Each structure stands twice: as C-alpha cells, then as structure tokens.
Amino acid sequence: MGELDEGSQILFLQHFTANEAGIRAFVRRLVPLRSDTNDVMQQVAMVLWKKFEQLEVKDDFRKWAFGVARYEALAWSRDKARDRLVLAEDVLVALADESLATEPALSAQRDALDGCLEKLAAEHRRMILDAYSPGVRIQDVASRSQRSVAGFYQWLHRIRLQLLDCVKRNLAVEGVS
Amino acid sequence: MIDPKRLEQIAQYAEGLLGSDGIRDLEAALRNDAELRYTFLEYLNLDAALTASAALPESEGVLPLSTANSRSENAALPRKGIRRSHARYVAAAAVLAMIALGSWIFLSRQSHDANVSSVLVTVLSADDAELEGQSEPLAPGQRLMLAQFRLKKGSLELQIPNDVKLELHGPLAAVFEQPSRLRLAHGELAAEVGERGKGFTVVTDAGEIVDLGTRFGVMARENGSTEVMVFAGEVQVKPSSVKEGQSKWTLTEGDALRIAPNQPPSRLASVSVKEVSAEPTPDGPIVGQVTDNVKAVDFYRFYGVVPGGMTEGASVYTMRSFAKWHPLRGEKFPEELRGADLIQTFHLARQETDLRITVQLNRPAKIYVMLDTRVPVPQWLKKEFIDTGMKLRGGPWDRRPMTRGIPWDADGKIFVTYTVWRREVFQAGPVELGPPQMPGQTTNGAMYGIAVKKL
C-alpha cells in the first residue's frame, strides 16, 4: 500500500469520508448481496488510497472514485460469475452506467429516507432496522416479529415499497425528482 | 407501471433468494426494459440506505416518543474516571515493572466457599481509598490479591485479569465469585471491559449485568435495588425479578435501567455523572433530577447531570462521546458558562416536536439552552429565554445527514454551531423545557444542550 504524507492522508480522508456513502450505495446497486458490498468496498478503498497521489486534481475525487468503484464492482462480478449467481455483464454495464447518470436523484432518495422511517409505526421501524443490523440473523428478527421467515421477507418487501413510495412522493413535493 | 411480480423478483434478488432460473429471467427483463432497470436501481439504493441507517448509532435514528409522565430518581455514578486513567495507567505500568512478586498483598478474607475466587489485581489509582484489612495507603502499581473485600471509603481504580478495569467507590462490599464475575453486595462501580474481557459479569441481589464489550456503571443500593447505566457499547441485564417472558434486557450506550428483586425493570431517566474536568461545587449541585414525558416500551435513555461540568471538552450528549463543547474557533470558552452544571441530553430526541424536559432546580439559577443555529427557534424558547449573543461549537462530528452543508474547518473537522439562550429562575423547583423543534418546521439539526448556573 502506498504511503501518503500527513497532509495527503488528511485530504484523502476528507474526500473519502465525504463520498463513501455514495460510493457504497453505488456498489450495492451492482452486487447481489449486502455482504458483497463490503468485499468490493474494501478493494475500492485500497485502490483509491494507493493511487490518490496520482490524482492530479483532487477536486475530481468523486468522479474518479466512482470510476474506480465501477471498475472494481464489474471485475468482482466477472470473478464471481463462475461460481455465483450474478447478472450478465452486459446488464451490469448498463446498470452501472445508468446508476452513475442517476446518482444525484438516488442520493436524494437516500437522504429522504430518514423522514420516511420516522413516519413508520415505531414497531415497524424497529423491526426493519433490526433486519438490516450488522450480523443479524433474519430468523431471529422474524421470530421476534412472530412471523415465519418467508412471511417476514414478504413483510420486508412491502415496507421497502412503502418507503420507496414515501421518499419519491416527498422529493416530488420538494421538486427534487 | 412495473409488474408486482417483477418487484418481488428484485426483492428476492436483493436477499440472495433468487435461483438460477429467476436470475436469468430477471436478467432478460432488465436487458430490455429501461424503466425496470431504474426501478431495480432505486430498490437496491433503498437497500443501501437502510443498511446505512441501521448501522448508525441510535443518536442518528428516531425517538419512539409517546407522551406521559415519567419520574425517576438520580443515581450518582462515575463515568469518565476510568477513561482518564490511561495516562496514569502508563505510569503505573512503569512502576509495576519494578515491583517484585513478593510485594503482593493478600487482602481476601480466607474462605473455602466454592463461589469465592482469589483474583490478582493491580492498583491503577487510589483517592483516599481505605480497604478493610489494609493499613498502609494504597499506591499505583501495587498488586493485591482480592476475593471478598470491603472498600470503606474513597475511590480505587483496579486492573483485573482479561483487560477489565474497575473503578470502585466506597463504601462498597463485593466478592469475586470468579475472575470474570463480581458479586456486588452494595456500593457503586464502573467497569471498562476490553475485547478479551467480554462476558465480565456483575451480580447483585436484583440481577446480573453481563458485559458485551463496553463501559458501564452499576450501583447496588442497600434496599436491594440496582441501577445500571451504559456509557459505551452494550450490556445485557438479567433481572432476578423476571421469571417468565422477557428474561433479559440489552442496554446500549446512553441507556440506564433500574432493577429490583420484586419490581419490574424501569427506565432511570437521570444519572449524576462525575467528570474529572468539572469545577468543584462546594454548595452541592444546582440541578436535582431531570425527567421528561417520554414513555415508550423498551426506551431507556438517560440524561447525564454533571455538577460543575460545563467547560471546554465536556461531552454534549450522553451518547456521542466524541461530541464535545468548544468555543468558536479562535475564541475563548465563555466565562459565563464555565463551571455551570451540565445536563447531557440524548441526541436521539433532536427532531421531536412533543418532548418536554423537566429540570428540578435546587436553588435559584440561570438556565442556558444551546440551540443549533440551523434549527428554527422554537416558540417556547423565544418566549421564555433571551438570546445571549454567545455561541458555542459542538463536535467534532463525522460526515452524516445531520451535518450536511456544514463545511470542514481548517483542521478538517466538522462542528455544529449553537446559539446560547438564557433564562433566570428566581426560585427552586421544576422548570420545563420544550421540544427541540416545532411541528411543521423540523430540520435535520442537532439536539439542544442544557447548562445551569447559580443565580
């Protein structure tokens, strides 16, 4: 791993921290599982760190970082295609390109999520956040909600659609989307 | 309009539940349908946002507020003493290297009880501490063998095996049942448990407190009740009073719970926190207890009351230990605020519009409310308080939705700026503070802070 001087390290961290959520969401849109996102992000972060000195205009970090993430996510998918169920490369390329083009709108949707989570009944909010908690076993959350695992997945899907509808309606009212 | 069946297919894909045929079918549909591709991206994007929200500390989440009266007494427990002991610990380690094993002091009462275990501990610091059976003053670096012991007075910081540090406050009586299991008969302690010490357990008559990697405090009262508060990480509490149904409670940072042998567990709303940086308060604290109108199932957040604790570097909230009070960049901390009693609120309440916080004053006082400058000033604040013109910063924060729009400062850090409001109260008694935000005007701002100084 390349060594950055202290000033560059701080600058790197500023840029990376400011963009990490967007890059992570971008990667998630291209890989099958949430846990896959971490694998790809680890590789993305390492490449960005190693090559940061080579980035001449640091203000271009965001565009550059998304390019690296695109490359690494597609490379990861190619690598996994032999033994994992992943989408075909031409579909992933289309998704990656459209994902980059629509990132501002998708970013606004992510930011609007907090407000929509607040509108959920407290119990539903707790359950969905439990289901997404790191390291959670979905069987445990389903059991706490007194649903079968299959029933819980159905419920999760309904809540996600409800949240998606909410963020889009809110952004439409604000004239964002 | 996307076919609901396709949406279900996307959901199954997102959970890793879609088989080979399903993947190929979805793939073909995505290849030919731009609208479906965008819906797919939105769905996975929401999945990413939910993952991020679930990973956030609760202070960035939302408060399950319902309104009703809630009353709680204060508990006095140490908080920061253990954290601040690191520098002393380094010095103690140097001293330790020079101490021969022969200088161990055996203080345990002899016992053949299978539930008593002798444990080698190292004194990290001692403040007027007097252990029963030990006539010489205790000093950092001293090694003791403890089993059943009594701290008659003072405070004692100990390193025990498996990366566990204990801060004990006398009068206290306890016994090590095992090296990782301490029975507390009465008294107060705080524990800081490292990775190797996970599972360290404090037992009282009211139940068991099992560490899950954390800093926490326990006070066992003579009447049999026990108060537990978590300053970092998580603990699991198993009340002895609960025989059926929910048998254990998981408390996270900023939670406090009271358990008693014959009563159901209840929230402890107000905790007195000792800070090393606090100014002396010879006349006693101005703030009594702090309560609110939150009454929700599984809600255990507490307010931290730090007598004399308002100063640069003091924690703003009970959670978020890294968010500290600071003066504006290049300015001095306002003298008017220094040494005031600090009330640490919980950031989780930042967007509430129904919250009511009641501060019990022991004497006439000036109450200060520090409001995020980005938040519209609530009506109650405008009506009852005056804008002092003073400003403070709180932070540093990491980049997250709450801090969106705040630029990095010259040190690469993010701080929220607060306006300081003041109200003079001429008699002791309860004072009610309103919600941090007004209905219809909620913004993604920080929760307000509170300080109280004698009039």
PDB file of all heavy atoms in Angstrom, chain B residues 242-275:
ATOM      1  N   VAL B 242     -37.625 -11.207  37.128  1.00  0.00           N
ATOM      2  CA  VAL B 242     -38.363 -11.684  35.958  1.00  0.00           C
ATOM      3  C   VAL B 242     -38.135 -13.180  35.785  1.00  0.00           C
ATOM      4  O   VAL B 242     -37.025 -13.625  35.543  1.00  0.00           O
ATOM      5  CB  VAL B 242     -37.915 -10.931  34.680  1.00  0.00           C
ATOM      6  CG1 VAL B 242     -38.665 -11.437  33.468  1.00  0.00           C
ATOM      7  CG2 VAL B 242     -38.139  -9.443  34.865  1.00  0.00           C
ATOM      8  N   LYS B 243     -39.178 -13.923  35.961  1.00  0.00           N
ATOM      9  CA  LYS B 243     -39.048 -15.380  35.876  1.00  0.00           C
ATOM     10  C   LYS B 243     -39.603 -15.907  34.550  1.00  0.00           C
ATOM     11  O   LYS B 243     -39.222 -16.969  34.092  1.00  0.00           O
ATOM     12  CB  LYS B 243     -39.812 -16.062  37.021  1.00  0.00           C
ATOM     13  CG  LYS B 243     -39.394 -15.575  38.397  1.00  0.00           C
ATOM     14  CD  LYS B 243     -37.956 -15.942  38.717  1.00  0.00           C
ATOM     15  CE  LYS B 243     -37.585 -15.477  40.123  1.00  0.00           C
ATOM     16  NZ  LYS B 243     -36.138 -15.344  40.278  1.00  0.00           N
ATOM     17  N   GLU B 244     -40.546 -15.160  33.983  1.00  0.00           N
ATOM     18  CA  GLU B 244     -41.177 -15.645  32.755  1.00  0.00           C
ATOM     19  C   GLU B 244     -41.148 -14.532  31.719  1.00  0.00           C
ATOM     20  O   GLU B 244     -40.983 -13.368  32.045  1.00  0.00           O
ATOM     21  CB  GLU B 244     -42.636 -16.057  33.025  1.00  0.00           C
ATOM     22  CG  GLU B 244     -42.744 -17.266  33.941  1.00  0.00           C
ATOM     23  CD  GLU B 244     -44.184 -17.580  34.289  1.00  0.00           C
ATOM     24  OE1 GLU B 244     -45.086 -16.842  33.836  1.00  0.00           O
ATOM     25  OE2 GLU B 244     -44.400 -18.555  35.017  1.00  0.00           O
ATOM     26  N   GLY B 245     -41.368 -14.895  30.483  1.00  0.00           N
ATOM     27  CA  GLY B 245     -41.387 -13.911  29.398  1.00  0.00           C
ATOM     28  C   GLY B 245     -40.005 -13.358  29.147  1.00  0.00           C
ATOM     29  O   GLY B 245     -39.013 -14.081  29.235  1.00  0.00           O
ATOM     30  N   GLN B 246     -39.944 -12.048  28.880  1.00  0.00           N
ATOM     31  CA  GLN B 246     -38.648 -11.439  28.579  1.00  0.00           C
ATOM     32  C   GLN B 246     -37.737 -11.568  29.795  1.00  0.00           C
ATOM     33  O   GLN B 246     -38.036 -11.073  30.871  1.00  0.00           O
ATOM     34  CB  GLN B 246     -38.825  -9.960  28.233  1.00  0.00           C
ATOM     35  CG  GLN B 246     -37.530  -9.294  27.824  1.00  0.00           C
ATOM     36  CD  GLN B 246     -37.695  -7.814  27.506  1.00  0.00           C
ATOM     37  OE1 GLN B 246     -38.778  -7.264  27.614  1.00  0.00           O
ATOM     38  NE2 GLN B 246     -36.615  -7.177  27.102  1.00  0.00           N
ATOM     39  N   SER B 247     -36.635 -12.244  29.637  1.00  0.00           N
ATOM     40  CA  SER B 247     -35.788 -12.506  30.800  1.00  0.00           C
ATOM     41  C   SER B 247     -34.522 -11.676  30.794  1.00  0.00           C
ATOM     42  O   SER B 247     -33.787 -11.655  31.762  1.00  0.00           O
ATOM     43  CB  SER B 247     -35.424 -13.981  30.838  1.00  0.00           C
ATOM     44  OG  SER B 247     -34.711 -14.326  29.663  1.00  0.00           O
ATOM     45  N   LYS B 248     -34.214 -11.002  29.678  1.00  0.00           N
ATOM     46  CA  LYS B 248     -33.018 -10.172  29.660  1.00  0.00           C
ATOM     47  C   LYS B 248     -33.229  -8.932  28.811  1.00  0.00           C
ATOM     48  O   LYS B 248     -33.998  -8.955  27.848  1.00  0.00           O
ATOM     49  CB  LYS B 248     -31.807 -10.986  29.180  1.00  0.00           C
ATOM     50  CG  LYS B 248     -31.985 -11.657  27.855  1.00  0.00           C
ATOM     51  CD  LYS B 248     -30.869 -12.664  27.620  1.00  0.00           C
ATOM     52  CE  LYS B 248     -31.091 -13.382  26.300  1.00  0.00           C
ATOM     53  NZ  LYS B 248     -30.192 -14.506  26.116  1.00  0.00           N
ATOM     54  N   TRP B 249     -32.541  -7.889  29.197  1.00  0.00           N
ATOM     55  CA  TRP B 249     -32.647  -6.597  28.526  1.00  0.00           C
ATOM     56  C   TRP B 249     -31.274  -6.236  27.982  1.00  0.00           C
ATOM     57  O   TRP B 249     -30.279  -6.349  28.709  1.00  0.00           O
ATOM     58  CB  TRP B 249     -33.072  -5.514  29.517  1.00  0.00           C
ATOM     59  CG  TRP B 249     -34.546  -5.383  29.730  1.00  0.00           C
ATOM     60  CD1 TRP B 249     -35.337  -4.343  29.327  1.00  0.00           C
ATOM     61  CD2 TRP B 249     -35.427  -6.288  30.420  1.00  0.00           C
ATOM     62  NE1 TRP B 249     -36.643  -4.554  29.702  1.00  0.00           N
ATOM     63  CE2 TRP B 249     -36.723  -5.742  30.371  1.00  0.00           C
ATOM     64  CE3 TRP B 249     -35.254  -7.519  31.039  1.00  0.00           C
ATOM     65  CZ2 TRP B 249     -37.825  -6.365  30.938  1.00  0.00           C
ATOM     66  CZ3 TRP B 249     -36.347  -8.150  31.602  1.00  0.00           C
ATOM     67  CH2 TRP B 249     -37.608  -7.574  31.545  1.00  0.00           C
ATOM     68  N   THR B 250     -31.217  -5.803  26.740  1.00  0.00           N
ATOM     69  CA  THR B 250     -29.954  -5.343  26.193  1.00  0.00           C
ATOM     70  C   THR B 250     -29.942  -3.820  26.228  1.00  0.00           C
ATOM     71  O   THR B 250     -30.814  -3.171  25.639  1.00  0.00           O
ATOM     72  CB  THR B 250     -29.760  -5.844  24.752  1.00  0.00           C
ATOM     73  OG1 THR B 250     -29.759  -7.273  24.771  1.00  0.00           O
ATOM     74  CG2 THR B 250     -28.426  -5.365  24.189  1.00  0.00           C
ATOM     75  N   LEU B 251     -28.994  -3.268  26.960  1.00  0.00           N
ATOM     76  CA  LEU B 251     -28.868  -1.813  27.053  1.00  0.00           C
ATOM     77  C   LEU B 251     -27.692  -1.373  26.191  1.00  0.00           C
ATOM     78  O   LEU B 251     -26.651  -2.030  26.168  1.00  0.00           O
ATOM     79  CB  LEU B 251     -28.612  -1.378  28.489  1.00  0.00           C
ATOM     80  CG  LEU B 251     -29.631  -1.793  29.553  1.00  0.00           C
ATOM     81  CD1 LEU B 251     -29.247  -1.150  30.891  1.00  0.00           C
ATOM     82  CD2 LEU B 251     -31.035  -1.375  29.169  1.00  0.00           C
ATOM     83  N   THR B 252     -27.853  -0.263  25.497  1.00  0.00           N
ATOM     84  CA  THR B 252     -26.767   0.270  24.678  1.00  0.00           C
ATOM     85  C   THR B 252     -26.329   1.619  25.245  1.00  0.00           C
ATOM     86  O   THR B 252     -26.926   2.131  26.207  1.00  0.00           O
ATOM     87  CB  THR B 252     -27.201   0.425  23.213  1.00  0.00           C
ATOM     88  OG1 THR B 252     -28.362   1.247  23.185  1.00  0.00           O
ATOM     89  CG2 THR B 252     -27.537  -0.918  22.603  1.00  0.00           C
ATOM     90  N   GLU B 253     -25.324   2.190  24.623  1.00  0.00           N
ATOM     91  CA  GLU B 253     -24.742   3.452  25.095  1.00  0.00           C
ATOM     92  C   GLU B 253     -25.828   4.497  25.344  1.00  0.00           C
ATOM     93  O   GLU B 253     -26.668   4.749  24.477  1.00  0.00           O
ATOM     94  CB  GLU B 253     -23.757   3.966  24.045  1.00  0.00           C
ATOM     95  CG  GLU B 253     -23.093   5.254  24.431  1.00  0.00           C
ATOM     96  CD  GLU B 253     -22.153   5.744  23.346  1.00  0.00           C
ATOM     97  OE1 GLU B 253     -21.971   5.046  22.340  1.00  0.00           O
ATOM     98  OE2 GLU B 253     -21.595   6.838  23.516  1.00  0.00           O
ATOM     99  N   GLY B 254     -25.798   5.098  26.526  1.00  0.00           N
ATOM    100  CA  GLY B 254     -26.778   6.129  26.849  1.00  0.00           C
ATOM    101  C   GLY B 254     -28.038   5.591  27.508  1.00  0.00           C
ATOM    102  O   GLY B 254     -28.955   6.350  27.793  1.00  0.00           O
ATOM    103  N   ASP B 255     -28.102   4.269  27.768  1.00  0.00           N
ATOM    104  CA  ASP B 255     -29.274   3.673  28.426  1.00  0.00           C
ATOM    105  C   ASP B 255     -29.017   3.492  29.918  1.00  0.00           C
ATOM    106  O   ASP B 255     -27.872   3.229  30.334  1.00  0.00           O
ATOM    107  CB  ASP B 255     -29.561   2.280  27.852  1.00  0.00           C
ATOM    108  CG  ASP B 255     -30.266   2.324  26.517  1.00  0.00           C
ATOM    109  OD1 ASP B 255     -30.737   3.406  26.122  1.00  0.00           O
ATOM    110  OD2 ASP B 255     -30.361   1.263  25.866  1.00  0.00           O
ATOM    111  N   ALA B 256     -30.053   3.610  30.717  1.00  0.00           N
ATOM    112  CA  ALA B 256     -29.949   3.324  32.154  1.00  0.00           C
ATOM    113  C   ALA B 256     -31.233   2.636  32.614  1.00  0.00           C
ATOM    114  O   ALA B 256     -32.325   2.988  32.189  1.00  0.00           O
ATOM    115  CB  ALA B 256     -29.725   4.610  32.951  1.00  0.00           C
ATOM    116  N   LEU B 257     -31.076   1.653  33.479  1.00  0.00           N
ATOM    117  CA  LEU B 257     -32.200   0.816  33.907  1.00  0.00           C
ATOM    118  C   LEU B 257     -32.101   0.577  35.406  1.00  0.00           C
ATOM    119  O   LEU B 257     -31.002   0.405  35.946  1.00  0.00           O
ATOM    120  CB  LEU B 257     -32.107  -0.532  33.166  1.00  0.00           C
ATOM    121  CG  LEU B 257     -33.266  -1.518  33.320  1.00  0.00           C
ATOM    122  CD1 LEU B 257     -34.480  -1.006  32.546  1.00  0.00           C
ATOM    123  CD2 LEU B 257     -32.869  -2.887  32.766  1.00  0.00           C
ATOM    124  N   ARG B 258     -33.260   0.588  36.077  1.00  0.00           N
ATOM    125  CA  ARG B 258     -33.292   0.217  37.491  1.00  0.00           C
ATOM    126  C   ARG B 258     -33.943  -1.150  37.604  1.00  0.00           C
ATOM    127  O   ARG B 258     -34.992  -1.401  37.013  1.00  0.00           O
ATOM    128  CB  ARG B 258     -34.088   1.233  38.298  1.00  0.00           C
ATOM    129  CG  ARG B 258     -34.238   0.795  39.761  1.00  0.00           C
ATOM    130  CD  ARG B 258     -35.146   1.684  40.568  1.00  0.00           C
ATOM    131  NE  ARG B 258     -34.490   2.942  40.877  1.00  0.00           N
ATOM    132  CZ  ARG B 258     -34.886   4.118  40.428  1.00  0.00           C
ATOM    133  NH1 ARG B 258     -35.926   4.199  39.622  1.00  0.00           N
ATOM    134  NH2 ARG B 258     -34.246   5.217  40.758  1.00  0.00           N
ATOM    135  N   ILE B 259     -33.296  -2.034  38.347  1.00  0.00           N
ATOM    136  CA  ILE B 259     -33.899  -3.341  38.607  1.00  0.00           C
ATOM    137  C   ILE B 259     -33.969  -3.546  40.111  1.00  0.00           C
ATOM    138  O   ILE B 259     -33.162  -2.998  40.868  1.00  0.00           O
ATOM    139  CB  ILE B 259     -33.102  -4.494  37.945  1.00  0.00           C
ATOM    140  CG1 ILE B 259     -31.619  -4.452  38.340  1.00  0.00           C
ATOM    141  CG2 ILE B 259     -33.226  -4.444  36.436  1.00  0.00           C
ATOM    142  CD1 ILE B 259     -30.791  -5.598  37.773  1.00  0.00           C
ATOM    143  N   ALA B 260     -34.964  -4.309  40.551  1.00  0.00           N
ATOM    144  CA  ALA B 260     -35.131  -4.580  41.980  1.00  0.00           C
ATOM    145  C   ALA B 260     -35.733  -5.971  42.114  1.00  0.00           C
ATOM    146  O   ALA B 260     -36.394  -6.456  41.195  1.00  0.00           O
ATOM    147  CB  ALA B 260     -36.039  -3.531  42.617  1.00  0.00           C
ATOM    148  N   PRO B 261     -35.491  -6.614  43.259  1.00  0.00           N
ATOM    149  CA  PRO B 261     -35.913  -8.014  43.402  1.00  0.00           C
ATOM    150  C   PRO B 261     -37.396  -8.254  43.121  1.00  0.00           C
ATOM    151  O   PRO B 261     -37.750  -9.265  42.547  1.00  0.00           O
ATOM    152  CB  PRO B 261     -35.553  -8.339  44.853  1.00  0.00           C
ATOM    153  CG  PRO B 261     -34.405  -7.446  45.160  1.00  0.00           C
ATOM    154  CD  PRO B 261     -34.683  -6.177  44.408  1.00  0.00           C
ATOM    155  N   ASN B 262     -38.252  -7.334  43.533  1.00  0.00           N
ATOM    156  CA  ASN B 262     -39.686  -7.625  43.389  1.00  0.00           C
ATOM    157  C   ASN B 262     -40.418  -6.623  42.517  1.00  0.00           C
ATOM    158  O   ASN B 262     -41.624  -6.426  42.664  1.00  0.00           O
ATOM    159  CB  ASN B 262     -40.343  -7.676  44.773  1.00  0.00           C
ATOM    160  CG  ASN B 262     -39.759  -8.798  45.602  1.00  0.00           C
ATOM    161  OD1 ASN B 262     -39.702  -9.938  45.155  1.00  0.00           O
ATOM    162  ND2 ASN B 262     -39.269  -8.464  46.784  1.00  0.00           N
ATOM    163  N   GLN B 263     -39.677  -5.974  41.638  1.00  0.00           N
ATOM    164  CA  GLN B 263     -40.321  -4.975  40.772  1.00  0.00           C
ATOM    165  C   GLN B 263     -39.893  -5.174  39.337  1.00  0.00           C
ATOM    166  O   GLN B 263     -38.777  -5.627  39.081  1.00  0.00           O
ATOM    167  CB  GLN B 263     -39.915  -3.572  41.216  1.00  0.00           C
ATOM    168  CG  GLN B 263     -40.481  -3.172  42.567  1.00  0.00           C
ATOM    169  CD  GLN B 263     -39.866  -1.881  43.071  1.00  0.00           C
ATOM    170  OE1 GLN B 263     -39.392  -1.066  42.280  1.00  0.00           O
ATOM    171  NE2 GLN B 263     -39.862  -1.709  44.369  1.00  0.00           N
ATOM    172  N   PRO B 264     -40.758  -4.785  38.396  1.00  0.00           N
ATOM    173  CA  PRO B 264     -40.337  -4.880  37.001  1.00  0.00           C
ATOM    174  C   PRO B 264     -39.255  -3.842  36.707  1.00  0.00           C
ATOM    175  O   PRO B 264     -39.218  -2.787  37.344  1.00  0.00           O
ATOM    176  CB  PRO B 264     -41.625  -4.563  36.217  1.00  0.00           C
ATOM    177  CG  PRO B 264     -42.495  -3.834  37.164  1.00  0.00           C
ATOM    178  CD  PRO B 264     -42.137  -4.305  38.540  1.00  0.00           C
ATOM    179  N   PRO B 265     -38.361  -4.121  35.771  1.00  0.00           N
ATOM    180  CA  PRO B 265     -37.326  -3.148  35.414  1.00  0.00           C
ATOM    181  C   PRO B 265     -37.943  -1.845  34.929  1.00  0.00           C
ATOM    182  O   PRO B 265     -39.010  -1.842  34.313  1.00  0.00           O
ATOM    183  CB  PRO B 265     -36.574  -3.845  34.267  1.00  0.00           C
ATOM    184  CG  PRO B 265     -36.861  -5.290  34.454  1.00  0.00           C
ATOM    185  CD  PRO B 265     -38.252  -5.359  35.007  1.00  0.00           C
ATOM    186  N   SER B 266     -37.289  -0.722  35.216  1.00  0.00           N
ATOM    187  CA  SER B 266     -37.825   0.563  34.774  1.00  0.00           C
ATOM    188  C   SER B 266     -36.698   1.475  34.320  1.00  0.00           C
ATOM    189  O   SER B 266     -35.540   1.316  34.729  1.00  0.00           O
ATOM    190  CB  SER B 266     -38.611   1.229  35.910  1.00  0.00           C
ATOM    191  OG  SER B 266     -37.760   1.422  37.023  1.00  0.00           O
ATOM    192  N   ARG B 267     -37.055   2.435  33.485  1.00  0.00           N
ATOM    193  CA  ARG B 267     -36.070   3.388  32.983  1.00  0.00           C
ATOM    194  C   ARG B 267     -35.569   4.280  34.120  1.00  0.00           C
ATOM    195  O   ARG B 267     -36.343   4.709  34.969  1.00  0.00           O
ATOM    196  CB  ARG B 267     -36.726   4.251  31.898  1.00  0.00           C
ATOM    197  CG  ARG B 267     -35.827   5.351  31.358  1.00  0.00           C
ATOM    198  CD  ARG B 267     -36.622   6.273  30.430  1.00  0.00           C
ATOM    199  NE  ARG B 267     -35.830   7.418  30.017  1.00  0.00           N
ATOM    200  CZ  ARG B 267     -36.332   8.604  29.706  1.00  0.00           C
ATOM    201  NH1 ARG B 267     -37.654   8.795  29.740  1.00  0.00           N
ATOM    202  NH2 ARG B 267     -35.559   9.593  29.336  1.00  0.00           N
ATOM    203  N   LEU B 268     -34.277   4.579  34.099  1.00  0.00           N
ATOM    204  CA  LEU B 268     -33.685   5.543  35.026  1.00  0.00           C
ATOM    205  C   LEU B 268     -33.379   6.785  34.200  1.00  0.00           C
ATOM    206  O   LEU B 268     -32.477   6.777  33.372  1.00  0.00           O
ATOM    207  CB  LEU B 268     -32.394   4.936  35.592  1.00  0.00           C
ATOM    208  CG  LEU B 268     -31.662   5.699  36.666  1.00  0.00           C
ATOM    209  CD1 LEU B 268     -32.481   5.754  37.939  1.00  0.00           C
ATOM    210  CD2 LEU B 268     -30.321   5.019  36.949  1.00  0.00           C
ATOM    211  N   ALA B 269     -34.170   7.827  34.392  1.00  0.00           N
ATOM    212  CA  ALA B 269     -34.094   8.961  33.464  1.00  0.00           C
ATOM    213  C   ALA B 269     -32.939   9.902  33.728  1.00  0.00           C
ATOM    214  O   ALA B 269     -32.493  10.611  32.846  1.00  0.00           O
ATOM    215  CB  ALA B 269     -35.406   9.741  33.495  1.00  0.00           C
ATOM    216  N   SER B 270     -32.451   9.928  34.964  1.00  0.00           N
ATOM    217  CA  SER B 270     -31.457  10.939  35.321  1.00  0.00           C
ATOM    218  C   SER B 270     -30.292  10.285  36.043  1.00  0.00           C
ATOM    219  O   SER B 270     -30.483   9.564  37.013  1.00  0.00           O
ATOM    220  CB  SER B 270     -32.131  11.976  36.226  1.00  0.00           C
ATOM    221  OG  SER B 270     -31.267  13.033  36.495  1.00  0.00           O
ATOM    222  N   VAL B 271     -29.090  10.536  35.546  1.00  0.00           N
ATOM    223  CA  VAL B 271     -27.901   9.942  36.147  1.00  0.00           C
ATOM    224  C   VAL B 271     -26.901  11.051  36.451  1.00  0.00           C
ATOM    225  O   VAL B 271     -26.591  11.862  35.582  1.00  0.00           O
ATOM    226  CB  VAL B 271     -27.266   8.915  35.189  1.00  0.00           C
ATOM    227  CG1 VAL B 271     -25.917   8.455  35.718  1.00  0.00           C
ATOM    228  CG2 VAL B 271     -28.187   7.723  34.997  1.00  0.00           C
ATOM    229  N   SER B 272     -26.403  11.098  37.675  1.00  0.00           N
ATOM    230  CA  SER B 272     -25.380  12.082  38.024  1.00  0.00           C
ATOM    231  C   SER B 272     -24.028  11.539  37.588  1.00  0.00           C
ATOM    232  O   SER B 272     -23.634  10.443  37.959  1.00  0.00           O
ATOM    233  CB  SER B 272     -25.400  12.343  39.526  1.00  0.00           C
ATOM    234  OG  SER B 272     -24.412  13.299  39.844  1.00  0.00           O
ATOM    235  N   VAL B 273     -23.336  12.304  36.754  1.00  0.00           N
ATOM    236  CA  VAL B 273     -22.082  11.846  36.154  1.00  0.00           C
ATOM    237  C   VAL B 273     -20.925  12.646  36.731  1.00  0.00           C
ATOM    238  O   VAL B 273     -20.988  13.869  36.802  1.00  0.00           O
ATOM    239  CB  VAL B 273     -22.135  12.030  34.620  1.00  0.00           C
ATOM    240  CG1 VAL B 273     -20.824  11.593  33.984  1.00  0.00           C
ATOM    241  CG2 VAL B 273     -23.311  11.262  34.033  1.00  0.00           C
ATOM    242  N   LYS B 274     -19.868  11.952  37.161  1.00  0.00           N
ATOM    243  CA  LYS B 274     -18.690  12.651  37.669  1.00  0.00           C
ATOM    244  C   LYS B 274     -17.686  12.837  36.540  1.00  0.00           C
ATOM    245  O   LYS B 274     -17.350  11.883  35.850  1.00  0.00           O
ATOM    246  CB  LYS B 274     -18.056  11.842  38.793  1.00  0.00           C
ATOM    247  CG  LYS B 274     -18.912  11.775  40.040  1.00  0.00           C
ATOM    248  CD  LYS B 274     -18.317  10.822  41.060  1.00  0.00           C
ATOM    249  CE  LYS B 274     -19.248  10.696  42.262  1.00  0.00           C
ATOM    250  NZ  LYS B 274     -18.845   9.616  43.151  1.00  0.00           N
ATOM    251  N   GLU B 275     -17.228  14.059  36.342  1.00  0.00           N
ATOM    252  CA  GLU B 275     -16.230  14.351  35.309  1.00  0.00           C
ATOM    253  C   GLU B 275     -15.000  14.934  35.982  1.00  0.00           C
ATOM    254  O   GLU B 275     -15.121  15.798  36.848  1.00  0.00           O
ATOM    255  CB  GLU B 275     -16.775  15.377  34.304  1.00  0.00           C
ATOM    256  CG  GLU B 275     -17.944  14.891  33.468  1.00  0.00           C
ATOM    257  CD  GLU B 275     -17.491  14.250  32.166  1.00  0.00           C
ATOM    258  OE1 GLU B 275     -16.286  13.976  32.036  1.00  0.00           O
ATOM    259  OE2 GLU B 275     -18.353  14.015  31.309  1.00  0.00           O
TER     260      GLU B 275
END
